[in-house]
Amino acid sequence: MRQHFIFLGLLALSTVCLAGPAQAANFTVHAGDPGGYYNNFMPSTLQIHAGDSVTWTNVSGGNHDVHADDNSFRCANGCDDTGGNGSPSTAAWSFTRTFNTAGTINYHCETHGSMGMVGSITVLASPPPQPLPGTLRFSSPNYSLSEGGGSAVITVSRTGGSDGQVSVQYATADGTAKAPGDYTAASGTLTWADHDSANKTFSVHLVDDSLVEPNATIHLNLSSPTGGADLGSPAS
């Protein structure tokens, strides 16, 4: 029985950090404060990003609403522009608005604005989405080939993103099989272009000596990723 080779991927592990668009956040503003400050907004100023939302809630039972100074919205029991009633109300109302445009929105309570019940929201432009270079890994935890098979083709995959050019170094190392008697050592660099997520391959040539030998192992290693890519698993 001729020798059978098993290739074991020994991957240097790193934390996989996939960056992308920031998740939209929601902020809460209380109309009135049952702690004694009934006629104010808490907090009265906010700084958010485009795409974030704000939820106002009447917590004091006062006769309140939220009226934008530029008349872009008026809300209490819902908002006038979405079929609700924005008139001041003592009900325990709550509503949410999403702000998609950068700028400053000043607002007031129609009943108590002259008493200082005013607020302001600063909407900052959303940061651009971060690139996703992806994760580089062997396509399988092991590969096997009989000695007479010639060369083993090893596949490396790019997953989780394809932004930018990335590369990774590969190399073989002796297991129970030894180079150059059992196989030809291989090393090099695999490169992916921007938006290229196709599998890349390299080959390891096996030496056919026609001797009857037990199964043997050759170690494979990925290292030194570039372009912001991470090394993924399988680990071995």
Side-chain angles (χ1 to χ4, degrees):
M1 181 177 179
R2 303 177 74 180
Q3 191 170 23
H4 192 83
F5 289 86
I6 300 174
F7 299 80
L8 301 177
L10 299 179
L11 237 62
L13 291 180
S14 65
T15 301
V16 178
C17 299
L18 298 181
Q23 294 296 315
N26 176 259
F27 298 82
T28 298
V29 175
H30 288 166
D33 179 359
Y37 301 96
Y38 293 100
N39 298 326
N40 64 359
F41 292 108
M42 297 284 289
S44 60
T45 60
L46 277 179
Q47 182 172 282
I48 66 176
H49 284 91
D52 292 343
S53 60
V54 179
T55 298
W56 282 268
T57 303
N58 186 2
V59 298
S60 70
N63 193 39
H64 303 313
D65 71 347
V66 180
H67 191 161
D69 290 1
D70 62 2
N71 294 316
S72 58
F73 64 90
R74 190 183 76 131
C75 307
N77 290 304
C79 300
D80 290 342
D81 60 342
T82 58
N85 185 349
S87 298
S89 172
T90 59
W93 51 256
S94 182
F95 68 91
T96 300
R97 299 278 300 192
T98 299
F99 297 88
N100 294 313
T101 304
T104 299
I105 299 94
N106 297 310
Y107 62 90
H108 60 277
C109 169
E110 288 184 85
T111 307
H112 304 101
S114 62
M115 301 170 60
M117 192 171 182
V118 298
S120 179
I121 301 170
T122 300
V123 183
L124 305 177
S126 295
Q130 297 300 305
L132 297 173
T135 300
L136 308 177
R137 66 188 78 188
F138 290 120
S139 65
S140 173
N142 58 70
Y143 306 83
S144 63
L145 189 71
S146 62
E147 182 176 305
S151 296
V153 178
I154 310 302
T155 302
V156 180
S157 300
R158 182 186 194 182
T159 61
S162 61
D163 293 336
Q165 177 175 303
V166 300
S167 66
V168 69
Q169 295 180 17
Y170 67 85
T172 58
D174 288 351
T176 56
K178 308 299 180 184
D182 294 319
Y183 73 100
T184 302
S187 63
T189 302
L190 298 175
T191 301
W192 286 259
D194 184 25
H195 296 126
D196 176 12
S197 58
N199 290 340
K200 307 300 177 185
T201 62
F202 64 93
S203 297
V204 181
H205 178 70
L206 306 182
V207 176
D208 186 358
D209 56 17
S210 299
L211 298 177
V212 177
E213 300 171 278
N215 292 345
T217 58
I218 300 171
H219 294 305
L220 307 174
N221 189 53
L222 294 178
S223 63
S224 305
T226 67
D230 290 296
L231 291 182
S233 58
S236 62

